Amino acid sequence: MDLLNQYLIPHFNYWAYVILMMIGMHAMIVKNNLIKKLIGMSIFQTAIILFYVSIGVKEGADIPVLHHHAPEVAESHTPAADPHHAVDPDHYANPLPHVLMLTAIVVGVSTLGMALAISQSIYKDFDTLEENEILAKIKQGGPGIDV
Amino acid sequence: MKWIGLIAVVLTGALLLSAVGDFPDFGDPKSPANGGVGDFSVSQYYITHTEQDTKVPNVVTAVLADYRGYDTMFETTVIFIAGIGIIAILRSHPPGGRRGPAHPIDATVDGDHQRIIIGITCRIMIPIIQIFALYVVAHGHHSPGGGFQGGVMLGASFILIGLSRDLQAALARFSERRFIVLACLGVAIYAGFGLLCLLLERNFLDYGVLDGFFHTDPVMARSHGIFAVEVGVAFTVTAIMFAIYANLSSKGRLDEGL
């Protein structure tokens, strides 16, 4: 019970990311089919994204969009609504992981598209996406080998 | 072989999990990444200084296109290179004739009622999706959004044309020449605005110097500069998303699609 309160509950996001990442890595190492390997790669990338975004979470914080232009602030003509008052960083979630993962998602799509294009090209040459069959065809100088 | 893989995965997982106890708690505002330990951290700087530096309420957009403009520029280049690579790997011209067999584009011809329903639904939905995508690009300063998200949505609307009718219908609206030019144009807009700052004797991508160009003060010029490069990002992402779909779905022949 002590272990649960100390290790599992405050750190459940890290458990989730490690488990997801290992599922992806298992698929990348063990699976024979190239498409299944790519699915594993996507799960792996998603685990990293989950890890980064969960790091940027702050208890009780809002999304990192400063609400100076929100109507409720503009209507209350109190000194607190002065647009030049200092912004408390604890009120907003950490923007940095969001920025890094925004680009990581798009790069993930690009790498996935590239990998699918390469596997389509492999399928055109070898008529299979199974790794052992491709290796066997390479060893006997199959149709895909030009040299 | 499978057992070796499983053992490696379990060992790596156990190593990572053994370190979990040393991580900061979930949602801790004083964790090192959130910058609560020292008196100064870069993420706190972004939150507190974005308003006076750039006048952009969305901190993520400001960090993406201004503070870390280099990162985003080369991220856009990565997407561009991925799209060009996919075209280089897959694109092939079928022997004899530039186009494949012409298919009836009009959904009413073959009397397939399902295609009529899908066709009309998509005809109504696609303009709405495109206008919303442009809104997401333009409103990235004030709400979650920006060039990447809006670009993906705009590309998805063209993919929807390709899925609901056929690839020829989508290519008639967004031809191969057009999406390659648009992808190049997006990167050129981004790099061009950086170069413009360089020509005006400031650092690369330092938009504050463009106040004369935008007819505003230097702080507002940064806001406009961010919007300009977001448009460039949106162009490239739109074109490359559609290029990936068009080439993958037709095995690089760009004839029929799925």
Side-chain angles (χ1 to χ4, degrees), chain A residues 10-11 59 64 66 94 106-107 120, chain B residues 23 26-27 33 43 57 75 79 248:
Chain A
H11 299 128
E59 194 79 45
L66 310 170
N94 192 348
V106 183
V107 170
Q120 211 172 62
Chain B
F23 275 104
F26 179 72
S43 78
E75 215 78 57
I79 297 162
L248 280 180

Side-chain angles (χ1 to χ4, degrees), chain A residues 7 10-15 18 21-22 25-26 29-30 51 54-59 63-66 68-69 87 89-90 92-96 98-100 102-103 106-107 109-110 113-114 116-118 120-121 124, chain B residues 2 5-6 9 12-13 16-17 20-21 23-30 33-34 42-44 46-48 51 57-60 63-64 68 71 75 78-79 82 85-86 89-90 142 144 148-149 241 244 247-248 251:
Chain A
Y7 284 100
H11 299 128
F12 71 95
N13 56 325
Y14 306 112
W15 283 82
V18 169
M21 197 157 94
M22 288 308 113
M25 196 166 130
H26 183 258
I29 293 176
V30 173
F51 173 58
S54 71
I55 275 181
V57 172
K58 291 177 191 169
E59 194 79 45
I63 58 168
V65 178
L66 310 170
H68 282 166
H69 304 291
V87 181
D90 285 353
Y92 298 100
N94 192 348
L96 204 50
H98 293 254
V99 174
L100 299 176
L102 180 63
T103 48
V106 183
V107 170
V109 171
S110 310
M114 193 81 183
L116 286 173
I118 293 172
Q120 211 172 62
S121 167
K124 209 188 282 175
Chain B
K2 284 198 170 180
L6 191 66
V9 166
T12 318
L16 287 171
L17 283 178
V20 155
F23 275 104
D25 291 354
F26 179 72
D28 181 12
K30 299 289 168 207
N34 293 338
V42 69
S43 78
Q44 283 177 329
Y46 289 149
I47 294 172
T48 49
E51 185 73 25
N58 188 347
V59 185
V60 174
V63 176
L64 185 82
R68 290 180 175 255
D71 186 13
E75 215 78 57
V78 165
I79 297 162
I86 288 167
I89 290 170
L90 285 181
H142 300 275
F148 286 104
Q149 298 92 321
M241 285 305 132
I244 290 174
N247 278 289
L248 280 180
K251 300 197 184 88

Side-chain angles (χ1 to χ4, degrees), chain B residues 4 22 26 33 51 53 55 69 79 88 101 107 136 141-142 148 150 166-167 180-181 186 190 198 213 218:
Chain B
I4 299 172
D22 297 336
F26 179 72
E51 185 73 25
D53 283 352
K55 282 244 193 316
I79 297 162
V136 168
H141 282 37
H142 300 275
F148 286 104
D166 63 1
L167 195 61
I180 291 174
V181 167
Y190 205 135
L198 206 62
F213 185 79

Side-chain angles (χ1 to χ4, degrees), chain B residues 213-228:
Chain B
F213 185 79
F214 291 121
H215 298 292
T216 45
D217 54 299
V219 177
M220 251 342 249
R222 298 183 85 91
S223 174
H224 292 326
I226 290 171
F227 176 66

Side-chain angles (χ1 to χ4, degrees), chain B:
Chain B
M1 186 56 210
K2 284 198 170 180
W3 285 107
I4 299 172
L6 191 66
I7 290 166
V9 166
V10 168
L11 271 179
T12 318
L15 263 176
L16 287 171
L17 283 178
S18 71
V20 155
D22 297 336
F23 275 104
D25 291 354
F26 179 72
D28 181 12
K30 299 289 168 207
S31 71
N34 293 338
V37 187
D39 49 357
F40 182 79
S41 88
V42 69
S43 78
Q44 283 177 329
Y45 177 86
Y46 289 149
I47 294 172
T48 49
H49 287 70
T50 295
E51 185 73 25
Q52 60 208 42
D53 283 352
T54 64
K55 282 244 193 316
V56 176
N58 188 347
V59 185
V60 174
T61 304
V63 176
L64 185 82
D66 193 331
Y67 295 113
R68 290 180 175 255
Y70 273 97
D71 186 13
T72 312
M73 190 180 100
F74 288 108
E75 215 78 57
T76 315
T77 317
V78 165
I79 297 162
F80 177 72
I81 291 170
I84 296 300
I86 288 167
I87 294 171
I89 290 170
L90 285 181
R91 187 77 179 99
S92 63
H93 295 276
R98 277 188 68 245
R99 297 283 182 207
H103 275 262
I105 289 173
D106 193 351
T108 56
V109 170
D110 59 357
D112 189 342
H113 294 285
Q114 280 189 337
R115 282 187 61 182
I116 295 174
I117 293 171
I118 291 171
I120 290 176
T121 310
C122 291
R123 197 171 291 177
I124 296 167
M125 286 304 295
I126 284 164
I128 297 171
I129 292 172
Q130 289 182 339
I131 286 177
F132 186 67
L134 294 178
Y135 163 78
V136 168
V137 175
H139 210 253
H141 282 37
H142 300 275
S143 65
F148 286 104
Q149 298 92 321
V152 168
M153 287 170 74
L154 208 54
S157 74
F158 289 110
I159 292 174
L160 189 58
I161 299 176
L163 282 173
S164 66
R165 298 169 78 178
D166 63 1
L167 195 61
Q168 284 303 319
L171 282 171
R173 287 155 181 82
F174 201 24
S175 66
E176 187 182 23
R177 171 187 287 269
R178 214 174 282 173
F179 64 64
I180 291 174
V181 167
L182 199 69
C184 298
L185 188 69
V187 178
I189 287 174
Y190 205 135
F193 268 95
L195 213 60
L196 203 60
C197 306
L198 206 62
L199 289 175
L200 294 169
E201 299 177 347
R202 285 279 278 276
N203 287 330
F204 192 69
L205 293 173
D206 188 357
Y207 317 120
V209 75
L210 297 174
D211 50 349
F213 185 79
F214 291 121
H215 298 292
T216 45
D217 54 299
V219 177
M220 251 342 249
R222 298 183 85 91
S223 174
H224 292 326
I226 290 171
F227 176 66
V229 299
E230 291 267 19
V231 170
V233 171
F235 277 4
T236 303
V237 173
T238 304
I240 296 302
M241 285 305 132
F242 184 66
I244 290 174
Y245 168 77
N247 278 289
L248 280 180
S249 67
S250 66
K251 300 197 184 88
R253 289 194 295 269
L254 295 189
D255 45 8
E256 287 174 53
L258 294 173

